[in-house]
Amino acid sequence: MRIHISQMGGWQRLLCGAAIGLAVGLLPWPLDGVARGLLGWCVGAAVYLLPAWWLAETSDTESTRARAQALDQPSVLILASMLSVVGASVVAIAMLLQQVRQLGGGERAGHIALGLLALAGSWLMIHTIYGFHYAHRYYQEEREGNEQGPGLEFPGKLDPDYFDFLYYAFVVGMTSQVSDVQVTSREMRRITLVHSVLSFAFNMLALALSINVVAGVMQ
């Protein structure tokens, strides 16, 4: 299993998650179309996230460097996939939560739980994908000998592994700013800017949907 996952690139995990999520969504569950779609999205997100975080847990600096230099994806494709997939999921979540007011009891609770789970999956997907993308760009710049350096300067003397980049990505995602990691190249500043703006917009949508859930429950 370890060898198999270590050979999968980010796009392979995304496609695998999309295929399994689509299959789950098409099963004849006793749910409406939006709920089935979100259930499939939750399963697909888990199929991507669990191997990704397992890979981060089992990768040291050298294996992170080797994978990052071999499997990078263009920033435009990263942004396009995030906007399309996460945008569609947010619309579906909003549609699902609009139905909460017409439901009652356990059915209402189930719809709310499904919407919140899908929202959490979308949030984790954004920052996990960007965490791996930061790692790839960092070690790509290192290999090419960029005069501005690899783009990020981490505290301490150890070379960063995947968890260091996930830390940076999630700090940007939660605060829309950098912390103790310094951005040292123009390329990384551009990627961080797009990531922080996308994160801020998603966090605002999540807040609005949460208020909608509370309002629906109180009625």
Side-chain angles (χ1 to χ4, degrees):
M1 182 178 181
R2 180 174 182 175
I3 295 175
H4 175 67
I5 293 178
S6 67
Q7 292 175 344
M8 291 179 65
W11 288 110
Q12 290 174 307
R13 290 194 300 273
L14 283 173
L15 290 175
C16 184
I20 295 176
L22 180 63
V24 170
L26 291 176
L27 290 175
W29 302 99
L31 302 169
D32 58 47
V34 175
R36 286 201 306 272
L38 281 182
L39 179 62
W41 163 252
C42 291
V43 173
V47 169
Y48 172 83
L49 289 168
L50 292 177
W53 281 85
W54 187 89
L55 178 63
E57 172 64 26
T58 57
S59 295
D60 58 14
T61 298
E62 291 306 315
S63 59
T64 298
R65 177 184 283 109
R67 285 181 55 84
Q69 291 179 348
L71 299 174
D72 191 34
Q73 295 92 24
S75 299
V76 174
L77 293 180
I78 293 290
L79 178 59
S81 64
M82 288 298 93
L83 289 178
S84 59
V85 175
V86 176
S89 69
V90 169
V91 171
I93 292 167
M95 293 173 61
L96 179 71
L97 296 180
Q98 284 294 324
Q99 301 174 359
V100 168
R101 299 175 183 177
Q102 286 78 44
L103 302 176
E107 192 175 8
R108 170 182 284 192
H111 275 66
I112 292 175
L114 180 60
L116 294 177
L117 183 62
L119 193 63
S122 299
W123 187 81
L124 288 170
M125 284 280 291
I126 292 175
H127 308 308
T128 300
I129 290 177
Y130 262 100
F132 277 81
H133 186 51
Y134 284 125
H136 295 168
R137 291 312 308 157
Y138 180 95
Y139 283 114
Q140 288 282 338
E141 296 293 338
E142 180 189 74
R143 183 182 64 181
E144 296 170 3
N146 191 320
E147 61 181 12
Q148 294 180 320
L152 296 174
E153 184 176 329
F154 291 85
K157 299 181 180 180
L158 298 177
D159 291 333
D161 59 14
Y162 276 129
F163 261 112
D164 293 307
F165 295 105
L166 287 169
Y167 161 76
Y168 176 74
F170 274 83
V171 168
V172 172
M174 289 183 287
T175 66
S176 295
Q177 63 180 1
V178 299
S179 57
D180 54 339
V181 181
Q182 300 297 312
V183 184
T184 61
S185 75
R186 180 174 296 172
E187 176 69 16
M188 281 295 188
R189 280 192 290 272
R190 289 174 176 171
I191 296 174
T192 302
L193 174 62
V194 174
H195 180 201
S196 61
V197 171
L198 179 61
S199 300
F200 181 80
F202 186 85
N203 291 341
M204 292 299 99
L205 284 172
L207 178 61
L209 289 173
S210 299
I211 293 173
N212 183 277
V213 169
V214 173
V217 171
M218 292 178 64
Q219 288 185 352

